[in-house]
mmCIF file with all atom_site columns, all heavy atoms in Angstrom:
data_model
loop_
_atom_site.group_PDB
_atom_site.id
_atom_site.type_symbol
_atom_site.label_atom_id
_atom_site.label_alt_id
_atom_site.label_comp_id
_atom_site.label_asym_id
_atom_site.label_entity_id
_atom_site.label_seq_id
_atom_site.pdbx_PDB_ins_code
_atom_site.Cartn_x
_atom_site.Cartn_y
_atom_site.Cartn_z
_atom_site.occupancy
_atom_site.B_iso_or_equiv
_atom_site.pdbx_formal_charge
_atom_site.auth_seq_id
_atom_site.auth_comp_id
_atom_site.auth_asym_id
_atom_site.auth_atom_id
_atom_site.pdbx_PDB_model_num
ATOM 1   N N   . THR A 1 7   ? -13.175 7.064   -5.293  1.00 98.00 ? 7   THR A N   1
ATOM 2   C CA  . THR A 1 7   ? -13.018 8.150   -4.337  1.00 98.00 ? 7   THR A CA  1
ATOM 3   C C   . THR A 1 7   ? -13.032 9.474   -5.097  1.00 98.00 ? 7   THR A C   1
ATOM 4   O O   . THR A 1 7   ? -12.604 9.527   -6.235  1.00 98.00 ? 7   THR A O   1
ATOM 5   C CB  . THR A 1 7   ? -11.700 8.022   -3.546  1.00 98.00 ? 7   THR A CB  1
ATOM 6   O OG1 . THR A 1 7   ? -10.587 8.152   -4.466  1.00 98.00 ? 7   THR A OG1 1
ATOM 7   C CG2 . THR A 1 7   ? -11.602 6.681   -2.841  1.00 98.00 ? 7   THR A CG2 1
ATOM 8   N N   . LYS A 1 19  ? -9.448  2.840   6.977   1.00 97.00 ? 19  LYS A N   1
ATOM 9   C CA  . LYS A 1 19  ? -10.305 1.723   7.444   1.00 97.00 ? 19  LYS A CA  1
ATOM 10  C C   . LYS A 1 19  ? -9.607  0.392   7.219   1.00 97.00 ? 19  LYS A C   1
ATOM 11  O O   . LYS A 1 19  ? -9.666  -0.508  8.073   1.00 97.00 ? 19  LYS A O   1
ATOM 12  C CB  . LYS A 1 19  ? -11.643 1.744   6.705   1.00 97.00 ? 19  LYS A CB  1
ATOM 13  C CG  . LYS A 1 19  ? -12.541 2.849   7.209   1.00 97.00 ? 19  LYS A CG  1
ATOM 14  C CD  . LYS A 1 19  ? -13.979 2.601   6.800   1.00 97.00 ? 19  LYS A CD  1
ATOM 15  C CE  . LYS A 1 19  ? -14.807 3.839   7.038   1.00 97.00 ? 19  LYS A CE  1
ATOM 16  N NZ  . LYS A 1 19  ? -15.223 4.491   5.790   1.00 97.00 ? 19  LYS A NZ  1
ATOM 17  N N   . ILE A 1 30  ? 0.926   -5.323  0.066   1.00 98.00 ? 30  ILE A N   1
ATOM 18  C CA  . ILE A 1 30  ? 0.032   -4.518  -0.762  1.00 98.00 ? 30  ILE A CA  1
ATOM 19  C C   . ILE A 1 30  ? 0.839   -3.871  -1.889  1.00 98.00 ? 30  ILE A C   1
ATOM 20  O O   . ILE A 1 30  ? 1.773   -3.078  -1.625  1.00 98.00 ? 30  ILE A O   1
ATOM 21  C CB  . ILE A 1 30  ? -0.653  -3.417  0.084   1.00 98.00 ? 30  ILE A CB  1
ATOM 22  C CG1 . ILE A 1 30  ? -1.403  -4.050  1.269   1.00 98.00 ? 30  ILE A CG1 1
ATOM 23  C CG2 . ILE A 1 30  ? -1.606  -2.597  -0.790  1.00 98.00 ? 30  ILE A CG2 1
ATOM 24  C CD1 . ILE A 1 30  ? -1.930  -3.050  2.290   1.00 98.00 ? 30  ILE A CD1 1
ATOM 25  N N   . ALA A 1 48  ? -1.208  4.051   7.283   1.00 96.00 ? 48  ALA A N   1
ATOM 26  C CA  . ALA A 1 48  ? -0.412  4.360   8.501   1.00 96.00 ? 48  ALA A CA  1
ATOM 27  C C   . ALA A 1 48  ? -1.323  4.934   9.578   1.00 96.00 ? 48  ALA A C   1
ATOM 28  O O   . ALA A 1 48  ? -1.225  4.575   10.753  1.00 96.00 ? 48  ALA A O   1
ATOM 29  C CB  . ALA A 1 48  ? 0.717   5.335   8.157   1.00 96.00 ? 48  ALA A CB  1
ATOM 30  N N   . GLY A 1 50  ? -4.543  4.478   9.925   1.00 97.00 ? 50  GLY A N   1
ATOM 31  C CA  . GLY A 1 50  ? -5.429  3.420   10.422  1.00 97.00 ? 50  GLY A CA  1
ATOM 32  C C   . GLY A 1 50  ? -4.711  2.455   11.362  1.00 97.00 ? 50  GLY A C   1
ATOM 33  O O   . GLY A 1 50  ? -5.324  1.898   12.255  1.00 97.00 ? 50  GLY A O   1
ATOM 34  N N   . SER A 1 53  ? -0.413  4.994   13.522  1.00 92.00 ? 53  SER A N   1
ATOM 35  C CA  . SER A 1 53  ? 0.830   5.761   13.509  1.00 92.00 ? 53  SER A CA  1
ATOM 36  C C   . SER A 1 53  ? 0.562   7.242   13.485  1.00 92.00 ? 53  SER A C   1
ATOM 37  O O   . SER A 1 53  ? -0.321  7.719   12.757  1.00 92.00 ? 53  SER A O   1
ATOM 38  C CB  . SER A 1 53  ? 1.676   5.380   12.284  1.00 92.00 ? 53  SER A CB  1
ATOM 39  O OG  . SER A 1 53  ? 2.790   6.222   12.197  1.00 92.00 ? 53  SER A OG  1
ATOM 40  N N   . MET A 1 56  ? 3.934   11.310  9.890   1.00 82.00 ? 56  MET A N   1
ATOM 41  C CA  . MET A 1 56  ? 3.504   11.799  8.577   1.00 82.00 ? 56  MET A CA  1
ATOM 42  C C   . MET A 1 56  ? 4.171   10.943  7.517   1.00 82.00 ? 56  MET A C   1
ATOM 43  O O   . MET A 1 56  ? 5.379   10.776  7.516   1.00 82.00 ? 56  MET A O   1
ATOM 44  C CB  . MET A 1 56  ? 3.909   13.266  8.447   1.00 82.00 ? 56  MET A CB  1
ATOM 45  C CG  . MET A 1 56  ? 3.423   13.924  7.185   1.00 82.00 ? 56  MET A CG  1
ATOM 46  S SD  . MET A 1 56  ? 1.623   13.934  7.110   1.00 82.00 ? 56  MET A SD  1
ATOM 47  C CE  . MET A 1 56  ? 1.367   14.342  5.390   1.00 82.00 ? 56  MET A CE  1
ATOM 48  N N   . THR A 1 63  ? 14.703  7.683   -0.738  1.00 72.00 ? 63  THR A N   1
ATOM 49  C CA  . THR A 1 63  ? 15.274  6.754   0.214   1.00 72.00 ? 63  THR A CA  1
ATOM 50  C C   . THR A 1 63  ? 14.884  5.313   -0.099  1.00 72.00 ? 63  THR A C   1
ATOM 51  O O   . THR A 1 63  ? 15.447  4.386   0.461   1.00 72.00 ? 63  THR A O   1
ATOM 52  C CB  . THR A 1 63  ? 14.782  7.097   1.627   1.00 72.00 ? 63  THR A CB  1
ATOM 53  O OG1 . THR A 1 63  ? 13.366  7.230   1.603   1.00 72.00 ? 63  THR A OG1 1
ATOM 54  C CG2 . THR A 1 63  ? 15.378  8.392   2.137   1.00 72.00 ? 63  THR A CG2 1
ATOM 55  N N   . GLY A 1 87  ? 18.773  -3.209  -5.761  1.00 86.00 ? 87  GLY A N   1
ATOM 56  C CA  . GLY A 1 87  ? 20.091  -3.175  -5.099  1.00 86.00 ? 87  GLY A CA  1
ATOM 57  C C   . GLY A 1 87  ? 20.015  -3.615  -3.652  1.00 86.00 ? 87  GLY A C   1
ATOM 58  O O   . GLY A 1 87  ? 19.359  -4.595  -3.310  1.00 86.00 ? 87  GLY A O   1
ATOM 59  N N   . VAL A 1 89  ? 18.430  -2.502  -1.253  1.00 90.00 ? 89  VAL A N   1
ATOM 60  C CA  . VAL A 1 89  ? 17.101  -2.429  -0.631  1.00 90.00 ? 89  VAL A CA  1
ATOM 61  C C   . VAL A 1 89  ? 16.363  -3.766  -0.764  1.00 90.00 ? 89  VAL A C   1
ATOM 62  O O   . VAL A 1 89  ? 15.449  -4.068  -0.004  1.00 90.00 ? 89  VAL A O   1
ATOM 63  C CB  . VAL A 1 89  ? 16.273  -1.277  -1.224  1.00 90.00 ? 89  VAL A CB  1
ATOM 64  C CG1 . VAL A 1 89  ? 14.940  -1.117  -0.526  1.00 90.00 ? 89  VAL A CG1 1
ATOM 65  C CG2 . VAL A 1 89  ? 17.059  0.023   -1.123  1.00 90.00 ? 89  VAL A CG2 1
ATOM 66  N N   . SER A 1 102 ? 4.957   -7.472  10.113  1.00 97.00 ? 102 SER A N   1
ATOM 67  C CA  . SER A 1 102 ? 5.096   -6.332  9.204   1.00 97.00 ? 102 SER A CA  1
ATOM 68  C C   . SER A 1 102 ? 3.970   -6.293  8.192   1.00 97.00 ? 102 SER A C   1
ATOM 69  O O   . SER A 1 102 ? 3.368   -7.293  7.837   1.00 97.00 ? 102 SER A O   1
ATOM 70  C CB  . SER A 1 102 ? 6.450   -6.437  8.477   1.00 97.00 ? 102 SER A CB  1
ATOM 71  O OG  . SER A 1 102 ? 6.362   -7.405  7.466   1.00 97.00 ? 102 SER A OG  1
ATOM 72  N N   . VAL A 1 103 ? 3.696   -5.077  7.750   1.00 97.00 ? 103 VAL A N   1
ATOM 73  C CA  . VAL A 1 103 ? 2.809   -4.822  6.637   1.00 97.00 ? 103 VAL A CA  1
ATOM 74  C C   . VAL A 1 103 ? 3.678   -4.160  5.572   1.00 97.00 ? 103 VAL A C   1
ATOM 75  O O   . VAL A 1 103 ? 4.409   -3.216  5.871   1.00 97.00 ? 103 VAL A O   1
ATOM 76  C CB  . VAL A 1 103 ? 1.659   -3.872  7.028   1.00 97.00 ? 103 VAL A CB  1
ATOM 77  C CG1 . VAL A 1 103 ? 0.806   -3.520  5.828   1.00 97.00 ? 103 VAL A CG1 1
ATOM 78  C CG2 . VAL A 1 103 ? 0.816   -4.499  8.141   1.00 97.00 ? 103 VAL A CG2 1
ATOM 79  N N   . GLU A 1 107 ? 5.182   0.678   -3.942  1.00 96.00 ? 107 GLU A N   1
ATOM 80  C CA  . GLU A 1 107 ? 4.899   1.419   -5.169  1.00 96.00 ? 107 GLU A CA  1
ATOM 81  C C   . GLU A 1 107 ? 5.905   0.971   -6.235  1.00 96.00 ? 107 GLU A C   1
ATOM 82  O O   . GLU A 1 107 ? 7.058   0.738   -5.919  1.00 96.00 ? 107 GLU A O   1
ATOM 83  C CB  . GLU A 1 107 ? 5.031   2.920   -4.935  1.00 96.00 ? 107 GLU A CB  1
ATOM 84  C CG  . GLU A 1 107 ? 4.113   3.439   -3.840  1.00 96.00 ? 107 GLU A CG  1
ATOM 85  C CD  . GLU A 1 107 ? 4.135   4.958   -3.690  1.00 96.00 ? 107 GLU A CD  1
ATOM 86  O OE1 . GLU A 1 107 ? 4.261   5.679   -4.698  1.00 96.00 ? 107 GLU A OE1 1
ATOM 87  O OE2 . GLU A 1 107 ? 3.988   5.413   -2.534  1.00 96.00 ? 107 GLU A OE2 1
ATOM 88  N N   . ALA A 1 111 ? 9.841   -4.696  -10.458 1.00 90.00 ? 111 ALA A N   1
ATOM 89  C CA  . ALA A 1 111 ? 11.179  -5.307  -10.372 1.00 90.00 ? 111 ALA A CA  1
ATOM 90  C C   . ALA A 1 111 ? 11.325  -6.280  -9.201  1.00 90.00 ? 111 ALA A C   1
ATOM 91  O O   . ALA A 1 111 ? 12.273  -7.050  -9.171  1.00 90.00 ? 111 ALA A O   1
ATOM 92  C CB  . ALA A 1 111 ? 12.242  -4.216  -10.274 1.00 90.00 ? 111 ALA A CB  1
ATOM 93  N N   . ALA A 1 115 ? 9.755   -11.529 -5.447  1.00 91.00 ? 115 ALA A N   1
ATOM 94  C CA  . ALA A 1 115 ? 10.067  -11.727 -4.021  1.00 91.00 ? 115 ALA A CA  1
ATOM 95  C C   . ALA A 1 115 ? 8.802   -11.844 -3.160  1.00 91.00 ? 115 ALA A C   1
ATOM 96  O O   . ALA A 1 115 ? 8.869   -12.206 -1.994  1.00 91.00 ? 115 ALA A O   1
ATOM 97  C CB  . ALA A 1 115 ? 10.916  -10.572 -3.500  1.00 91.00 ? 115 ALA A CB  1
ATOM 98  N N   . HIS A 1 142 ? -7.752  -15.310 1.240   1.00 93.00 ? 142 HIS A N   1
ATOM 99  C CA  . HIS A 1 142 ? -6.950  -15.056 2.436   1.00 93.00 ? 142 HIS A CA  1
ATOM 100 C C   . HIS A 1 142 ? -7.198  -13.663 3.014   1.00 93.00 ? 142 HIS A C   1
ATOM 101 O O   . HIS A 1 142 ? -7.145  -13.450 4.205   1.00 93.00 ? 142 HIS A O   1
ATOM 102 C CB  . HIS A 1 142 ? -5.486  -15.255 2.035   1.00 93.00 ? 142 HIS A CB  1
ATOM 103 C CG  . HIS A 1 142 ? -4.509  -14.831 3.087   1.00 93.00 ? 142 HIS A CG  1
ATOM 104 N ND1 . HIS A 1 142 ? -4.221  -15.624 4.176   1.00 93.00 ? 142 HIS A ND1 1
ATOM 105 C CD2 . HIS A 1 142 ? -3.772  -13.711 3.233   1.00 93.00 ? 142 HIS A CD2 1
ATOM 106 C CE1 . HIS A 1 142 ? -3.334  -14.996 4.937   1.00 93.00 ? 142 HIS A CE1 1
ATOM 107 N NE2 . HIS A 1 142 ? -3.039  -13.857 4.387   1.00 93.00 ? 142 HIS A NE2 1
ATOM 108 N N   . ASP A 1 151 ? -18.763 -0.394  5.615   1.00 48.00 ? 151 ASP A N   1
ATOM 109 C CA  . ASP A 1 151 ? -19.264 0.709   6.441   1.00 48.00 ? 151 ASP A CA  1
ATOM 110 C C   . ASP A 1 151 ? -18.970 2.054   5.780   1.00 48.00 ? 151 ASP A C   1
ATOM 111 O O   . ASP A 1 151 ? -18.498 2.084   4.664   1.00 48.00 ? 151 ASP A O   1
ATOM 112 C CB  . ASP A 1 151 ? -18.655 0.670   7.845   1.00 48.00 ? 151 ASP A CB  1
ATOM 113 C CG  . ASP A 1 151 ? -17.164 0.553   7.828   1.00 48.00 ? 151 ASP A CG  1
ATOM 114 O OD1 . ASP A 1 151 ? -16.602 0.346   6.723   1.00 48.00 ? 151 ASP A OD1 1
ATOM 115 O OD2 . ASP A 1 151 ? -16.534 0.633   8.868   1.00 48.00 ? 151 ASP A OD2 1
#
Side-chain angles (χ1 to χ4, degrees):
T7 64
K19 285 198 193 110
I30 305 170
S53 173
M56 185 61 194
T63 50
V89 184
S102 76
V103 175
E107 302 185 35
H142 172 78
D151 50 353

